[in-house]
Amino acid sequence: MKNTASFEELQQLATSLGASDVAVKMTEEIEIDEKLVNFCKDPRCENYGLSPGCPPHVGGPETFRQMLKERSHVLIVRIVVPSAVLFSEERRELMAFLHELVATLELTAIKKGYPKARAFAGGSCKDLFCFDEADCNVLSGGGCRNPKRSRPSMSGFGVNVAHLLKICGWESNLKPEQEGGEPRSWIAGIVLLG
Ligand code: SF4
């Protein structure tokens, strides 16, 4: 019998690495919305087409539905931050951290008995990891410069992140921790498990 890590082990790892919230759900609970993919193109994201993890280089909703069929569960992670961080110079560092977090969870899950584990984050890896390079090395015919850090964005596959939060029972409009405290926001990623 294969030695598969319990979901609890992966959840604990996510928390120890810095996730604020972690949950495991069935893949069939994930909602895909084709309309969300169109937002990458219109209004056009400045990173559209710049990496293999974003449209038009990803398979989109159809590919993602197939991936869901081949996997049973999804690990969902959320990082809660002061809203101001998302509009500051720290944004890039934070989004890169999200990529690294889900990539680490994916690589650990593969080692621990989930060979089909696949992680997805948010934002373009070209902007986060290769912003000072002229081009993505993969799109130029080479290998990824950051294979253990960067992962595709959920947007290009139409993953409805608002729905993900709902099924986890997580508020999307976060209140400040204390009365009169800093507004808070969040970023999220997923790891498909199977
Ligand atoms: S080389 Fe890797 S990290 Fe850099 S843009 Fe391409 S896919 Fe993303």
Side-chain angles (χ1 to χ4, degrees):
M1 195 174 145
K2 82 178 169 181
N3 181 14
T4 306
S6 66
F7 294 143
E8 205 176 320
E9 277 178 69
L10 292 171
Q11 285 178 269
Q12 280 169 0
L13 175 62
T15 304
S16 72
L17 292 174
S20 314
D21 302 302
V22 193
V24 174
K25 298 287 169 188
M26 304 292 289
T27 45
E28 64 206 27
E29 293 182 78
I30 296 182
E31 194 175 279
I32 308 295
D33 186 344
E34 320 266 341
K35 288 194 298 296
L36 295 173
V37 180
N38 295 335
F39 291 140
C40 298
K41 208 156 80 170
D42 184 21
R44 195 181 179 91
C45 169
E46 60 184 2
N47 297 304
Y48 182 82
L50 298 186
S51 79
C54 289
H57 306 297
V58 294
E62 212 38 61
T63 298
F64 200 80
R65 282 196 187 95
Q66 190 55 40
M67 281 193 270
L68 293 182
K69 274 190 209 153
E70 294 163 3
R71 291 157 181 88
S72 57
H73 289 80
V74 54
L75 182 77
I76 305 157
V77 297
R78 175 165 85 159
I79 302 169
V80 175
V81 292
S83 304
V85 172
L86 294 178
F87 302 99
S88 74
E89 286 177 3
E90 290 171 83
R91 183 200 67 87
R92 180 175 277 148
E93 204 179 315
L94 173 69
M95 296 307 294
F97 174 68
L98 173 67
H99 278 242
E100 287 161 352
L101 172 62
V102 293
T104 302
L105 291 168
E106 174 201 279
L107 296 171
T108 305
I110 290 170
K111 275 193 210 141
K112 299 251 179 184
Y114 299 98
K116 293 183 185 167
R118 284 286 303 272
F120 298 83
S124 162
C125 59
K126 173 71 175 68
D127 173 51
L128 303 176
F129 298 106
C130 293
F131 54 90
D132 54 359
E133 303 282 351
D135 297 301
C136 164
N137 208 41
V138 176
L139 296 183
S140 306
C144 177
R145 298 182 187 101
N146 300 282
K148 293 188 178 167
R149 302 170 72 202
S150 74
R151 290 297 177 269
S153 173
M154 287 188 281
S155 316
F157 294 92
V159 178
N160 186 335
V161 180
H163 180 75
L164 278 182
L165 261 62
K166 199 169 158 190
I167 61 174
C168 292
W170 300 339
E171 279 289 326
S172 51
N173 292 319
L174 295 175
K175 294 190 179 67
E177 257 173 334
Q178 298 122 18
E179 184 97 9
E182 278 189 290
R184 294 184 303 155
S185 198
W186 52 267
I187 55 174
I190 60 172
V191 186
L192 302 181
L193 298 170

